[in-house]
Amino acid sequence: MTAEPSRRARAPEPSPRARELLRGAFDTHIHVGPDVVPRIVDDLTLAHRFQALEMGGFVLKSHYTSTAERASVVTAAVDGVLVLGALALNRAVGGMNPLAVEVAAREGARTVWFPTVDSVNESHEREAPPGAKVPVWVRLQLELREQGIEIEPVPVVDAAGAVLPETRAVLATIARHQLVLATGHLARDEIFAVVEAARAEGVSEIVVTHPEFPSQALSVEDQGALVAQGALLERCFTTPHTGKIAWDVWIEHIRAAGPANSVLSTDLGQVFNPPVEDGMALMVDRLLEAGCSDEEVHVMAN
């Protein structure tokens, strides 16, 4: 499902300098169609837009299914744009399911997100009062509940905070296939437990998903501690763009952790947000205005 409102209604045009700096850049976190909720654009159309802008490619994220097969088709269809698949470990794929990771990896998936919409940390969202404004994924869960389908949260740790055996099995599979582990919508203590366990299992690439997002809200000190364990910090456009954190605070966090420890992504695809292909450039314009150098932008965007 895709829907495309006026393309310039909610954001300025990115600068030519930002566009130039993003030649070859890669967006590691987008939500586009086909999906079970409305999206602003489909993956094939987006790949053609990336091609026109000479951007390198993107990772397809779905909260509900593996995108590895889609990604391989789009990559074959659009010259010069690399599209990578991913898997989010929510209930639709069996939760903390090492078999789902194994299959996705064999199909070419590159990233595995730990639970997002079905994380224990997000489970309170489903108890919103009738008529409340909720994210599209919560609306879907409430619709399914009305049909008698209750989605149980996916735990990654036990009541004492220890990593579950199935979590370790997933981490071992990620390590064996040399996949990227992204922490999803886990809570602060869960993130620390999972990062430590991932290192113990041999996972070499770990990305802390949008640490400024309200359901993570990691302090500068927490971010520094995770960097010290070898994790990268994902800086998503949507978090400050939608007012979940001020742009200047978001930039302060990048400075505190260091650009080399930050990865830019957009988390775009929602019908009410700017076009996906504009997000990285709009973010770069903010960084340039704050005094970041071209080299620092390259480090974070590639």
Side-chain angles (χ1 to χ4, degrees), residues 220 223-224 227 233 235 252-262:
V220 170
Q223 293 184 30
V227 165
L233 304 167
R235 311 299 186 180
E252 285 173 10
H253 287 186
I254 292 175
R255 286 179 171 141
N261 300 309
S262 295

Side-chain angles (χ1 to χ4, degrees), residues 14-296:
S15 72
R17 182 183 176 194
R19 292 290 199 201
E20 182 64 30
L21 287 173
L22 288 172
R23 292 183 188 276
F26 208 89
D27 190 340
T28 59
H29 186 163
I30 63 166
H31 300 272
V32 297
D35 203 349
V36 295
V37 298
R39 295 300 182 191
I40 196 171
V41 68
D42 65 83
D43 46 22
L44 188 57
T45 300
L46 182 63
H48 283 294
R49 292 178 184 172
F50 269 54
Q51 181 189 53
L53 293 169
E54 299 183 41
M55 295 179 71
F58 49 86
V59 175
L60 286 170
K61 182 177 181 181
S62 167
H63 290 302
Y64 308 103
T65 188
S66 169
T67 62
E69 293 180 355
R70 281 168 58 189
S72 64
V73 171
V74 177
T75 295
V78 183
D79 290 340
V81 177
L82 176 62
V83 180
L84 296 174
L87 180 72
L89 295 175
N90 293 311
R91 279 295 173 205
V93 299
M96 298 307 293
N97 180 1
L99 176 58
V101 177
E102 180 71 28
V103 171
R106 291 180 182 225
E107 291 178 321
R110 177 68 180 126
T111 299
V112 175
W113 270 275
F114 265 38
T116 58
V117 297
D118 294 340
S119 66
V120 173
N121 187 42
E122 295 282 20
S123 59
H124 67 282
E125 290 273 13
R126 312 173 195 194
E127 309 311 320
K133 184 178 179 180
V134 296
V136 289
W137 57 268
V138 175
R139 193 178 311 131
L140 174 63
Q141 288 176 318
L142 296 177
E143 288 173 3
L144 292 173
R145 178 180 287 172
E146 289 177 1
Q147 297 173 27
I149 302 172
E150 188 65 40
I151 303 173
E152 293 296 322
V154 178
V156 300
V157 298
D158 63 20
V163 170
L164 293 169
E166 54 265 39
T167 303
R168 288 197 179 275
V170 164
L171 292 172
T173 307
I174 291 171
R176 185 169 65 256
H177 287 283
Q178 298 182 313
L179 304 177
V180 176
L181 165 65
T183 56
H185 291 205
L186 302 184
R188 183 253 184 207
D189 291 350
E190 292 173 318
I191 291 170
F192 273 88
V194 164
V195 169
E196 181 179 1
R199 282 301 182 210
E201 294 295 334
V203 177
S204 59
E205 295 183 75
I206 303 171
V207 177
V208 177
T209 307
H210 43 49
E212 286 82 25
F213 201 75
S215 57
Q216 285 66 64
L218 296 176
S219 69
V220 170
E221 292 75 21
D222 284 341
Q223 293 184 30
L226 290 163
V227 165
Q229 294 186 56
L232 294 171
L233 304 167
E234 180 191 38
R235 311 299 186 180
C236 289
F237 170 79
T238 55
T239 311
H241 176 74
T242 57
K244 294 178 176 66
I245 190 172
W247 278 103
D248 58 346
V249 177
W250 181 84
I251 291 169
E252 285 173 10
H253 287 186
I254 292 175
R255 286 179 171 141
N261 300 309
S262 295
V263 178
L264 300 182
S265 71
T266 65
D267 196 9
L268 281 172
Q270 306 80 12
V271 297
F272 51 83
N273 272 330
V276 178
E277 69 275 13
D278 288 354
M280 291 277 280
L282 292 169
M283 190 161 34
V284 166
D285 277 330
R286 292 280 188 164
L287 291 165
L288 294 173
E289 290 169 9
C292 287
S293 68
D294 291 6
E295 182 179 354
E296 288 172 329

